[in-house]
Amino acid sequence: MPEAPISRPQALSGQALSDQALDDAAGRSGTDAVAQARVPDNGAGGPAIPRHVAVIMDGNGRWAAARGLPRTAGHRRGADSVRRCMEAAGELGVRYLTLFGFSSENWGRPESEVSDLMGLLRRYLRSEIAEMHEKGVRLRVIGDRSRLDSDIVSLIEDSEHRTAQNDRFHMTVALSYSGRDELAHAARQIARDAAAGRLDPEQVDVQAVSARLLTADIPDPDLLIRTSGEQRLSNFLLWQLAYAELVFIDCLWPDFGHAELKAAIAEFQRRDRRYGVAVGSR
């Protein structure tokens, strides 16, 4: 992938808006139906809590536009939702959370918007990691780091190193990420190993591919949530989501919180996960 210079972020236009103004613009999130959703306890014989939840965070721009605010305001509010989602996932018993923060295709957005997003990323890495570490959260970042500014890469590496031994909760953020690129990278690794005689081509199987993915050391997602009503994967974890339950919700990402995650998990628990096995054959 060719490298492209990313300009240093200018002052975020959304910062001219106070947090109180954003709170007033947000109003009350969710619906009565969502707020009343209940996730049964995962006791003996009870519905299972998904071990790994992946989320496509969508709708920041539409949230801002609906309130007459700049897109940056939606991204700022969306950053708040990241914290709410992580806290809610831990409270509900989820062990692994993977968020799609920035795709490789997102580099094609206007330079000013990309700059704002990178500025928010810097702020998040500087302000949140200490608390995440204290709470036993391990942070991983997956994606193509060659297009990120060097100071952001340093912040990511420092955050990953600082939290590497934590095991209470696992947070993965996909940045400059492409599912197809990830699979192509795995294929290149397999080809090199085969050419070097380290791998018999006849032994290339599902496990061989999985072991060469960016998520090789964490379980595949059980549940994928996409906000904003869109119903597509958008090049996210294409291999890993093969048997995930997909839940698409109308809620825009800046309005996403505990109640919305709880409702999505309740929907997950209503699904019959057969993994291709016919009913009655187990």
Side-chain angles (χ1 to χ4, degrees), residues 51-119:
R51 180 168 56 163
H52 185 174
V53 174
V55 184
I56 299 176
M57 306 178 292
D58 196 8
N60 290 347
R62 275 167 281 178
W63 183 94
R67 292 159 176 79
L69 301 173
R71 289 179 65 87
T72 302
H75 294 316
R76 284 186 63 200
R77 179 60 65 172
D80 294 337
S81 295
V82 170
R83 172 191 278 266
R84 292 199 303 271
C85 183
M86 183 175 64
E87 292 176 348
E91 292 170 3
L92 293 169
V94 176
R95 287 287 313 283
Y96 297 84
L97 177 67
T98 298
L99 303 179
F100 200 4
F102 190 84
S103 73
S104 59
E105 292 81 9
N106 288 156
W107 290 111
R109 291 186 176 186
E111 184 176 348
S112 60
E113 182 176 355
V114 172
S115 180
D116 287 343
L117 287 166
M118 293 299 110

Side-chain angles (χ1 to χ4, degrees), residues 33-34 48 50 52 59 62 80 128 136 157 170 196 198 225 236:
V34 170
H52 185 174
R62 275 167 281 178
D80 294 337
E128 300 292 330
E157 292 175 347
H170 296 256
R198 295 188 296 266
I225 303 168
F236 181 48

